[in-house]
Structures are given as C-alpha cells and as structure tokens.
Amino acid sequence: MRLNLAFSVGVCATLANASLEKRAAIDDCLSGAGVPTDARGSTAWSQDVAPFNTRLKYTPVAIVVPSTVAHVQAAVSCAAKLNIKVNPKSGGHSYASFGLGGEDGHLVVELDRLNQVTVDSTTKIATIQAGARLGHVATQLNQQGARAISHGTCPGVGLAGHSLHGGFGFSSHTHGLALDWMAGATVVLANSTVVNCSQTENPDLFWALRGAGSSFGIVTSFRFNTFDQPPQVTVFSANLPWNNAQQAAAGWTKLQDWVQNSMPAEMNMRVFGMSFSTQLQGMYYGSQSQLQSAIAPLMTLLGASLGSTQQTNYMGGFVAYDNGDNVDPSHPYSQVCLPPPPRSLPVLTIFAARTLLLQIPRHHRPPRRRHDRRHQLLVLHRQAELPLLVHHHRHVRGQERRHPQGPGEHDLVRSPG
Ligand SMILES: Cc1cc2nc3c(=O)[nH]c(=O)nc-3n(C[C@H](O)[C@H](O)[C@H](O)COP(=O)(O)OP(=O)(O)OC[C@H]3O[C@@H](n4cnc5c(N)ncnc54)[C@H](O)[C@@H]3O)c2cc1C
C-alpha cells in the first residue's frame, strides 16, 4: 500500500513537471516567433478563458491572441512541434466549451480581436475576419449598404463557430443557413500553411468547411455573399393551446404539416417551449397586415390567436430577439444573451428550450447549394423539466448522418501534425 502511494505521488510529480516543461517550451516557441499571448493571471487571460457554459471550465497551456494570419501560422507550427493540441476560439459560445478544446492543456488561438467586416460595393461580397460576432457582422453589413446574411439571434455568438457548423435563425426559411452564404475562406491548415478555398479553389476543403469546419483548419477570414435587407419585417408571437401531451402531439403534427406544405417563404418561426406555456415566435418578411393574412390559416388550424406583433426594419427585428445583449459586441465581451427567468424555472432550462428553433424546408435556397439537401427536424419536449429530445438529421449528398448533438455543435477538437 505504502509502495502504491509512493508510486502515485511519483507519477503525479512527473506529470506536473512534464506539463510545466511543455508550458515553458510553448512559451519559448511563441515568444521566439513573435506571437502575442495573454499573460497567465492577467485580466485578458481571465476574459479569454471564461466559458459560456460555466460548468465546463478548462485551462489551456497558453492563449494566443493573433493580429495577423502569420501569427496563427506560427502558433500552429509551435504546437505541432511540441505535440500540443491546438484549436481556435472565435465567439466562445460552444455549449461544450470546444473553443477551449473541451479539455485542459490545449493551445487556444483566441480570434476575437480579428473582427473586421468589409463589403465590396460592386460584388456585395463581405470579407469578414473570423473573430467577428454575429451582432457586429449584422451591424456592419447594415451600415455598409443595408446588406445581410442569414444567421442566428444572439449577438455575441461567433460567426466562425456558427457558420462552420450550420447557423440558423429568423431568416433561415427565407434564406437558408449561414453556411449557405459562404463564398470562400482563408484557412491555416494543420501543417501551418495558409490556403484559400471556394467553389473553384480547393473545392473539397470548401465543401468540408461548411458543416465540419473545425476539423480541417483555422479559418482566419471568410467571404460571404450577402442579400438586400427586406424593407420591413414583423416580429410576432402566439400562445399555443397545448396543455397536455396529447394536445402537444396533435399540435406538432398539424404544425409540421403546415410548415412543410403551406408555409410562405417569408415566414420564419420557432417554438419556444416551457413547462407552463408554449409559444410560437417568429419574424415575417413583410408588413403587419401581410403577416396577419399569411398566418391566419395556421392560427385556425391550431386553435390559436396571434399575440404581440411589431412591424420594424431588419435591424429592429434582430434587436427584438437579442435578449438584452449588446447588439454590436467586440472585445472584451462578457457573455450574456440569456432571457430573464420567468417564474421559478431555471434559466438554463428555458434557455435550452429557447435555442431550439423550428427548422423548416426552405423555398428559396441559394441556387449554388441545390446539390446539398439539408433538413433538420427538431423535436422539443414540452415539459421543460424533462430531458429535451433533439433529433438532428443531416443529409449530405444523399448520405444521412445522425448527430446526437444539438444544432451548431458538431465541434471537433483537432490535433496538429
Ligand atoms: C447564447 C447562445 C445562442 C445561440 N444561438 C444560436 C442560434 O440562434 N442559431 C444557431 O444555429 N446556433 C446558436 N447557438 C449555437 C452556436 O451557433 C454554436 O455553439 C457555435 O459553434 C458557436 O460559435 P462560436 O464561434 O461562438 O464558439 P467557439 O466556442 O469559439 O467555437 C465553436 C467551435 O468552432 C470552432 N471554431 C471557432 N472558430 C473557428 C475558426 N476560425 N476556424 C475553425 N474552427 C473554429 C471551435 O474550435 C469550436 O470547436 C447559440 C449558442 C449560444 C451559447
């Protein structure tokens, strides 16, 4: 027994020494290459290491804060030499803290200082650095010619993690997922070379990025096609009379049928389920009166009536669902975007329910994506105290893969070399 204890203490001491040596070696390599890092114990370190999901905290071996693509390349090269896992973090909103590696000891490449957005006034293509958050992207696209791309609701979510794994929100029925608007990317690969990819340049990498991006490299910037903002949108909600499991099941069936067969392309909706009420929430690309006539058949079908409505402009629609977050966030960012807890329900339960959007077939897919069939069916259990059931199906070039995770969470940790 005494021998075992002595052996265990010896193993622990050896491991601690090894990790200190690794830390010193990566520090040396990074400083030799002139790569900026967060000092351990500094305010910047604390901000960058804070996970959105505070139950999953991890300690990186070092945090790199690049301001150039060359810094990212040098960081990947150092990590590969020392056999340290390296992974990028953009908005830090991975539910599983994959931006921090999902375990201790990764080299984290914190990209949120790289957040420039530039719209080409002729092609209307936006070049967006990988650390930009959704709210900053929406604000800049609005300011640079009232343009937009399709994406989710929370301003603090990073465009990179979001669009590399899907990205849906209140424009997805009308305009598809965020990844449908990607036109190209600049990527640092595991061997630290930098490449561009698009439909015509490294097309296989471009295909792989749109759905599994974090497995193939560190994107340093994107090129996105953009669309004209609609002149007006109408934000709405309706309480659904689903008071028991039978009513909920019957209601879901009717809703799915309407969504699949009758829903106009301008309608974007989600179901917000809680233990005490279930709401349809959405955004209609049109005026209040157009919404009223478009949604009337669904209200009749479900025995519901339209609740609040607000006609506004496109940015007004984005703000309506920002949950009080800063609409144009940049570094330093303190993670909020949680709805206030109604009654005594735990915030995270509500939040988990809130983020499950009703994803529906799209009438207006951008033509270049027609070869890919992506459908997602999300089944939300109405009793928020019980586990949420999420079935996430994805069809890629005729093959179906099933992911147990929620949307936007196909994050994989990549190891260099
Ligand atoms: C509050 C909140 C609201 C949300 N709302 C929505 C929503 O409305 N719609 C929706 O679809 N999803 C939504 N999500 C899910 C969100 O889109 C995903 O969690 C997404 O992966 C987060 O991206 P990020 O850059 O913020 O996270 P990060 O933690 O920085 O990154 C997530 C993953 O992407 C990888 N990654 C990050 N940057 C890069 C890069 N530059 N190159 C390669 N890989 C990279 C990371 O290594 C990690 O594996 C929400 C999540 C939260 C927490």
Side-chain angles (χ1 to χ4, degrees):
M1 172 68 112
R2 196 175 295 156
L3 194 66
N4 277 349
L5 187 63
F7 177 73
S8 305
V9 170
V11 168
C12 287
T14 311
L15 287 177
N17 278 342
S19 94
L20 282 177
E21 277 167 23
K22 215 157 224 191
R23 197 202 268 192
I26 191 81
D27 285 352
D28 275 357
C29 187
L30 293 170
S31 77
V35 180
T37 56
D38 284 344
R40 289 181 194 85
S42 65
T43 306
W45 175 282
S46 310
Q47 283 162 346
D48 290 337
V49 86
F52 182 87
N53 181 351
T54 51
R55 287 191 303 170
L56 298 174
K57 297 179 179 165
Y58 299 109
T59 307
V61 65
I63 301 176
V64 166
V65 280
S67 55
T68 64
V69 176
H71 288 155
V72 177
Q73 290 180 271
V76 170
S77 169
C78 284
K81 262 185 234 152
L82 296 165
N83 200 24
I84 291 172
K85 290 178 183 172
V86 54
N87 65 285
K89 173 170 171 273
S90 288
H93 275 63
S94 165
Y95 299 115
S97 297
F98 284 144
L100 293 169
E103 61 184 358
D104 289 340
H106 282 227
L107 176 65
V108 170
V109 180
E110 171 61 76
L111 292 159
D112 77 345
R113 279 70 155 178
L114 293 170
N115 69 352
Q116 272 176 20
V117 179
T118 313
V119 180
D120 183 306
S121 56
T122 310
T123 62
K124 310 293 184 201
I125 289 177
T127 300
I128 306 178
Q129 287 187 311
R133 297 173 190 276
L134 299 185
H136 185 61
V137 173
T139 304
Q140 283 299 314
L141 295 184
N142 178 49
Q143 286 172 6
Q144 297 181 46
R147 309 296 299 171
I149 61 171
S150 194
H151 58 70
T153 52
C154 272
V157 166
L159 178 70
H162 189 69
S163 64
L164 292 173
H165 305 103
F168 57 84
F170 283 124
S171 43
S172 292
H173 187 228
T174 313
H175 288 298
L177 302 176
L179 58 68
D180 288 320
W181 290 86
M182 207 184 286
T186 301
V187 189
V188 173
L189 301 176
N191 64 6
S192 76
T193 57
V194 58
V195 295
N196 289 319
C197 66
S198 66
Q199 289 290 11
T200 53
E201 194 176 6
N202 297 308
D204 285 350
L205 176 62
F206 185 56
W207 182 87
L209 281 190
R210 290 167 298 158
S214 47
S215 304
F216 292 92
I218 300 182
V219 176
T220 54
S221 70
F222 295 98
R223 286 166 294 291
F224 273 92
N225 292 307
T226 60
F227 58 83
D228 273 326
Q229 288 178 4
Q232 71 216 344
V233 298
T234 303
V235 175
F236 66 90
S237 67
N239 284 328
L240 299 175
W242 296 354
N243 297 314
N244 56 49
Q246 285 75 21
Q247 287 174 356
W252 268 111
T253 308
K254 289 178 190 168
L255 182 58
Q256 294 275 24
D257 182 59
W258 189 79
V259 157
Q260 255 171 343
N261 300 312
S262 314
M263 183 154 98
E266 296 79 13
M267 188 82 78
N268 295 276
M269 306 190 299
R270 71 182 177 196
V271 171
F272 184 93
M274 291 166 283
S275 62
F276 54 87
S277 81
T278 308
Q279 248 192 8
L280 205 55
Q281 300 179 338
M283 193 182 304
Y284 185 79
Y285 276 45
S287 68
Q288 205 160 12
S289 59
Q290 286 168 327
L291 162 73
Q292 279 158 353
S293 46
I295 208 165
L298 178 64
M299 294 295 99
T300 307
L301 192 67
L302 298 177
S305 49
L306 196 55
S308 68
T309 59
Q310 182 203 349
Q311 185 177 309
T312 177
N313 58 22
Y314 185 77
M315 282 307 284
F318 182 67
V319 170
Y321 285 108
D322 70 3
N323 289 313
D325 205 354
N326 176 2
V327 176
D328 184 4
S330 58
H331 176 82
Y333 172 75
S334 60
Q335 284 144 346
V336 278
C337 199
L338 291 172
R343 301 191 191 166
S344 60
L345 226 61
V347 172
L348 273 177
T349 311
I350 301 283
F351 183 64
R354 192 197 75 72
T355 57
L356 296 179
L357 297 160
L358 184 67
Q359 175 69 17
I360 24 73
R362 295 176 292 285
H363 295 248
H364 292 309
R365 283 164 182 275
R368 67 195 179 284
R369 304 288 303 150
R370 285 232 167 92
H371 62 278
D372 272 0
R373 235 165 31 93
R374 289 187 170 87
H375 294 293
Q376 293 163 320
L377 172 66
L378 301 180
V379 179
L380 168 61
H381 200 293
R382 187 172 173 278
Q383 294 297 320
E385 298 90 341
L386 297 175
L388 296 170
L389 301 178
V390 179
H391 297 293
H392 180 212
H393 292 270
R394 181 156 182 222
H395 299 258
V396 180
R397 288 187 181 152
Q399 287 182 317
E400 181 182 322
R401 298 180 204 158
R402 184 166 173 162
H403 300 278
Q405 312 96 315
E409 283 293 308
H410 311 274
D411 312 350
L412 293 178
V413 178
R414 185 178 60 82
S415 150

Short mmCIF file of all heavy atoms in Angstrom, two decimals, residues 205-238:
data_model
loop_
_atom_site.label_atom_id
_atom_site.label_comp_id
_atom_site.label_asym_id
_atom_site.label_seq_id
_atom_site.Cartn_x
_atom_site.Cartn_y
_atom_site.Cartn_z
N LEU A 205 -11.98 21.22 -49.71
CA LEU A 205 -11.84 21.86 -48.39
C LEU A 205 -13.05 22.78 -48.15
O LEU A 205 -13.62 22.80 -47.05
CB LEU A 205 -10.53 22.66 -48.32
CG LEU A 205 -10.30 23.45 -47.03
CD1 LEU A 205 -10.24 22.54 -45.81
CD2 LEU A 205 -9.02 24.29 -47.13
N PHE A 206 -13.44 23.51 -49.19
CA PHE A 206 -14.58 24.42 -49.05
C PHE A 206 -15.84 23.64 -48.69
O PHE A 206 -16.62 24.05 -47.81
CB PHE A 206 -14.77 25.19 -50.37
CG PHE A 206 -15.84 26.24 -50.31
CD1 PHE A 206 -15.80 27.24 -49.35
CD2 PHE A 206 -16.90 26.22 -51.21
CE1 PHE A 206 -16.79 28.22 -49.29
CE2 PHE A 206 -17.89 27.19 -51.15
CZ PHE A 206 -17.84 28.18 -50.19
N TRP A 207 -16.03 22.49 -49.33
CA TRP A 207 -17.20 21.65 -49.04
C TRP A 207 -17.15 21.19 -47.57
O TRP A 207 -18.15 21.26 -46.85
CB TRP A 207 -17.20 20.44 -49.98
CG TRP A 207 -18.38 19.54 -49.80
CD1 TRP A 207 -19.60 19.65 -50.40
CD2 TRP A 207 -18.45 18.38 -48.97
NE1 TRP A 207 -20.43 18.64 -49.97
CE2 TRP A 207 -19.75 17.84 -49.10
CE3 TRP A 207 -17.55 17.74 -48.12
CZ2 TRP A 207 -20.17 16.70 -48.42
CZ3 TRP A 207 -17.97 16.60 -47.43
CH2 TRP A 207 -19.27 16.09 -47.60
N ALA A 208 -15.96 20.76 -47.14
CA ALA A 208 -15.83 20.22 -45.78
C ALA A 208 -16.01 21.29 -44.71
O ALA A 208 -16.56 21.02 -43.63
CB ALA A 208 -14.46 19.56 -45.62
N LEU A 209 -15.57 22.51 -45.03
CA LEU A 209 -15.69 23.58 -44.02
C LEU A 209 -17.14 23.83 -43.65
O LEU A 209 -17.45 24.14 -42.51
CB LEU A 209 -15.13 24.90 -44.59
CG LEU A 209 -13.63 25.12 -44.61
CD1 LEU A 209 -13.34 26.58 -44.97
CD2 LEU A 209 -12.97 24.77 -43.28
N ARG A 210 -18.04 23.69 -44.65
CA ARG A 210 -19.44 24.06 -44.41
C ARG A 210 -20.18 22.91 -43.74
O ARG A 210 -20.93 22.17 -44.36
CB ARG A 210 -20.09 24.49 -45.73
CG ARG A 210 -19.54 25.83 -46.21
CD ARG A 210 -19.92 26.13 -47.63
NE ARG A 210 -19.37 25.13 -48.53
CZ ARG A 210 -19.84 24.89 -49.74
NH1 ARG A 210 -20.87 25.56 -50.18
NH2 ARG A 210 -19.28 23.97 -50.49
N GLY A 211 -19.93 22.74 -42.45
CA GLY A 211 -20.59 21.69 -41.68
C GLY A 211 -19.64 21.06 -40.68
O GLY A 211 -20.06 20.60 -39.63
N ALA A 212 -18.35 21.03 -41.02
CA ALA A 212 -17.39 20.38 -40.12
C ALA A 212 -16.10 21.20 -40.07
O ALA A 212 -15.01 20.66 -39.94
CB ALA A 212 -17.10 18.97 -40.60
N GLY A 213 -16.24 22.53 -40.17
CA GLY A 213 -15.09 23.41 -40.33
C GLY A 213 -14.00 23.25 -39.31
O GLY A 213 -12.81 23.30 -39.64
N SER A 214 -14.37 23.02 -38.05
CA SER A 214 -13.34 22.99 -37.01
C SER A 214 -12.45 21.76 -37.11
O SER A 214 -11.44 21.67 -36.42
CB SER A 214 -13.97 23.08 -35.62
OG SER A 214 -15.05 22.19 -35.52
N SER A 215 -12.79 20.80 -37.98
CA SER A 215 -11.95 19.61 -38.14
C SER A 215 -10.86 19.79 -39.18
O SER A 215 -10.02 18.91 -39.33
CB SER A 215 -12.81 18.42 -38.58
OG SER A 215 -13.84 18.21 -37.68
N PHE A 216 -10.88 20.89 -39.92
CA PHE A 216 -9.99 20.97 -41.08
C PHE A 216 -8.99 22.10 -41.07
O PHE A 216 -8.13 22.17 -41.94
CB PHE A 216 -10.84 21.03 -42.36
CG PHE A 216 -11.57 19.74 -42.61
CD1 PHE A 216 -12.85 19.55 -42.12
CD2 PHE A 216 -10.94 18.69 -43.26
CE1 PHE A 216 -13.50 18.35 -42.29
CE2 PHE A 216 -11.59 17.48 -43.44
CZ PHE A 216 -12.88 17.31 -42.95
N GLY A 217 -9.07 22.99 -40.12
CA GLY A 217 -8.11 24.08 -40.09
C GLY A 217 -8.65 25.25 -39.30
O GLY A 217 -9.75 25.18 -38.74
N ILE A 218 -7.86 26.31 -39.24
CA ILE A 218 -8.31 27.52 -38.57
C ILE A 218 -8.65 28.55 -39.64
O ILE A 218 -7.76 29.00 -40.38
CB ILE A 218 -7.22 28.08 -37.63
CG1 ILE A 218 -6.87 27.04 -36.56
CG2 ILE A 218 -7.67 29.39 -37.00
CD1 ILE A 218 -5.84 27.49 -35.53
N VAL A 219 -9.92 28.88 -39.74
CA VAL A 219 -10.33 29.91 -40.71
C VAL A 219 -9.91 31.26 -40.13
O VAL A 219 -10.22 31.57 -38.98
CB VAL A 219 -11.86 29.88 -40.94
CG1 VAL A 219 -12.27 31.02 -41.87
CG2 VAL A 219 -12.29 28.54 -41.51
N THR A 220 -9.20 32.04 -40.94
CA THR A 220 -8.82 33.37 -40.46
C THR A 220 -9.73 34.45 -41.04
O THR A 220 -9.91 35.50 -40.43
CB THR A 220 -7.35 33.69 -40.80
OG1 THR A 220 -7.17 33.49 -42.20
CG2 THR A 220 -6.40 32.79 -40.02
N SER A 221 -10.29 34.19 -42.23
CA SER A 221 -11.31 35.12 -42.73
C SER A 221 -12.23 34.41 -43.72
O SER A 221 -11.86 33.38 -44.30
CB SER A 221 -10.70 36.37 -43.37
OG SER A 221 -10.08 36.02 -44.57
N PHE A 222 -13.43 34.97 -43.84
CA PHE A 222 -14.46 34.41 -44.72
C PHE A 222 -14.80 35.42 -45.80
O PHE A 222 -14.64 36.63 -45.62
CB PHE A 222 -15.76 34.18 -43.94
CG PHE A 222 -15.69 33.16 -42.85
CD1 PHE A 222 -15.50 33.56 -41.53
CD2 PHE A 222 -15.85 31.81 -43.13
CE1 PHE A 222 -15.46 32.62 -40.51
CE2 PHE A 222 -15.81 30.87 -42.11
CZ PHE A 222 -15.61 31.27 -40.79
N ARG A 223 -15.33 34.90 -46.90
CA ARG A 223 -16.02 35.75 -47.87
C ARG A 223 -17.46 35.25 -47.94
O ARG A 223 -17.71 34.05 -48.10
CB ARG A 223 -15.34 35.68 -49.24
CG ARG A 223 -14.02 36.47 -49.24
CD ARG A 223 -13.13 36.19 -50.42
NE ARG A 223 -12.60 34.83 -50.46
CZ ARG A 223 -11.69 34.32 -49.62
NH1 ARG A 223 -11.21 35.06 -48.64
NH2 ARG A 223 -11.27 33.08 -49.74
N PHE A 224 -18.38 36.17 -47.73
CA PHE A 224 -19.80 35.81 -47.72
C PHE A 224 -20.56 36.57 -48.79
O PHE A 224 -20.37 37.79 -48.93
CB PHE A 224 -20.44 36.18 -46.36
CG PHE A 224 -20.31 35.09 -45.32
CD1 PHE A 224 -19.24 35.08 -44.45
CD2 PHE A 224 -21.25 34.08 -45.23
CE1 PHE A 224 -19.10 34.09 -43.49
CE2 PHE A 224 -21.13 33.08 -44.28
CZ PHE A 224 -20.06 33.08 -43.41
N ASN A 225 -21.40 35.87 -49.55
CA ASN A 225 -22.39 36.56 -50.37
C ASN A 225 -23.38 37.22 -49.42
O ASN A 225 -23.57 36.74 -48.29
CB ASN A 225 -23.13 35.57 -51.28
CG ASN A 225 -22.21 34.98 -52.33
OD1 ASN A 225 -21.57 35.73 -53.06
ND2 ASN A 225 -22.14 33.66 -52.41
N THR A 226 -24.01 38.29 -49.86
CA THR A 226 -24.97 38.98 -48.98
C THR A 226 -26.27 39.21 -49.75
O THR A 226 -26.28 39.14 -50.97
CB THR A 226 -24.42 40.34 -48.52
OG1 THR A 226 -24.18 41.16 -49.68
CG2 THR A 226 -23.13 40.19 -47.72
N PHE A 227 -27.34 39.47 -49.01
CA PHE A 227 -28.60 39.81 -49.68
C PHE A 227 -29.08 41.18 -49.21
O PHE A 227 -28.64 41.68 -48.16
CB PHE A 227 -29.67 38.73 -49.47
CG PHE A 227 -30.04 38.42 -48.03
CD1 PHE A 227 -30.95 39.20 -47.33
CD2 PHE A 227 -29.48 37.32 -47.38
CE1 PHE A 227 -31.31 38.90 -46.02
CE2 PHE A 227 -29.83 37.01 -46.06
CZ PHE A 227 -30.74 37.80 -45.38
N ASP A 228 -29.98 41.78 -50.00
CA ASP A 228 -30.59 43.06 -49.63
C ASP A 228 -31.48 42.86 -48.42
O ASP A 228 -32.31 41.94 -48.42
CB ASP A 228 -31.51 43.53 -50.78
CG ASP A 228 -30.76 44.34 -51.81
OD1 ASP A 228 -29.83 45.06 -51.43
OD2 ASP A 228 -31.13 44.22 -53.00
N GLN A 229 -31.35 43.72 -47.43
CA GLN A 229 -32.28 43.63 -46.30
C GLN A 229 -33.70 43.87 -46.80
O GLN A 229 -33.90 44.72 -47.67
CB GLN A 229 -31.96 44.71 -45.26
CG GLN A 229 -30.70 44.47 -44.49
CD GLN A 229 -30.42 45.60 -43.52
OE1 GLN A 229 -31.22 46.53 -43.38
NE2 GLN A 229 -29.30 45.52 -42.85
N PRO A 230 -34.69 43.16 -46.25
CA PRO A 230 -36.07 43.47 -46.63
C PRO A 230 -36.42 44.85 -46.06
O PRO A 230 -35.91 45.23 -45.01
CB PRO A 230 -36.88 42.37 -45.93
CG PRO A 230 -36.02 41.91 -44.81
CD PRO A 230 -34.59 42.11 -45.24
N PRO A 231 -37.28 45.63 -46.75
CA PRO A 231 -37.59 46.98 -46.26
C PRO A 231 -38.27 46.96 -44.89
O PRO A 231 -38.12 47.88 -44.10
CB PRO A 231 -38.53 47.54 -47.33
CG PRO A 231 -38.93 46.38 -48.18
CD PRO A 231 -37.92 45.31 -48.02
N GLN A 232 -39.01 45.91 -44.61
CA GLN A 232 -39.65 45.82 -43.29
C GLN A 232 -39.84 44.36 -42.90
O GLN A 232 -39.94 43.49 -43.77
CB GLN A 232 -41.01 46.52 -43.29
CG GLN A 232 -42.07 45.80 -44.08
CD GLN A 232 -43.02 46.74 -44.80
OE1 GLN A 232 -43.07 47.92 -44.49
NE2 GLN A 232 -43.75 46.23 -45.76
N VAL A 233 -39.85 44.12 -41.59
CA VAL A 233 -40.17 42.79 -41.07
C VAL A 233 -41.20 42.98 -39.96
O VAL A 233 -41.32 44.07 -39.41
CB VAL A 233 -38.93 42.05 -40.51
CG1 VAL A 233 -37.88 41.82 -41.58
CG2 VAL A 233 -38.33 42.78 -39.32
N THR A 234 -41.92 41.90 -39.63
CA THR A 234 -42.85 41.97 -38.50
C THR A 234 -42.52 40.83 -37.54
O THR A 234 -42.52 39.65 -37.92
CB THR A 234 -44.31 41.89 -38.97
OG1 THR A 234 -44.54 42.95 -39.90
CG2 THR A 234 -45.27 42.03 -37.80
N VAL A 235 -42.20 41.22 -36.31
CA VAL A 235 -41.88 40.26 -35.25
C VAL A 235 -43.19 39.87 -34.57
O VAL A 235 -44.04 40.73 -34.35
CB VAL A 235 -40.94 40.95 -34.23
CG1 VAL A 235 -40.66 40.05 -33.05
CG2 VAL A 235 -39.64 41.36 -34.91
N PHE A 236 -43.38 38.58 -34.29
CA PHE A 236 -44.67 38.18 -33.71
C PHE A 236 -44.53 37.02 -32.73
O PHE A 236 -43.51 36.33 -32.70
CB PHE A 236 -45.65 37.79 -34.83
CG PHE A 236 -45.23 36.55 -35.59
CD1 PHE A 236 -45.65 35.29 -35.18
CD2 PHE A 236 -44.42 36.64 -36.71
CE1 PHE A 236 -45.27 34.14 -35.88
CE2 PHE A 236 -44.03 35.51 -37.42
CZ PHE A 236 -44.46 34.26 -37.00
N SER A 237 -45.59 36.82 -31.94
CA SER A 237 -45.68 35.63 -31.10
C SER A 237 -47.15 35.21 -30.99
O SER A 237 -48.05 36.02 -31.22
CB SER A 237 -45.11 35.90 -29.70
OG SER A 237 -45.94 36.82 -29.03
N ALA A 238 -47.35 33.93 -30.69
CA ALA A 238 -48.72 33.42 -30.48
C ALA A 238 -48.65 32.31 -29.45
O ALA A 238 -47.80 31.42 -29.57
CB ALA A 238 -49.27 32.88 -31.80
#
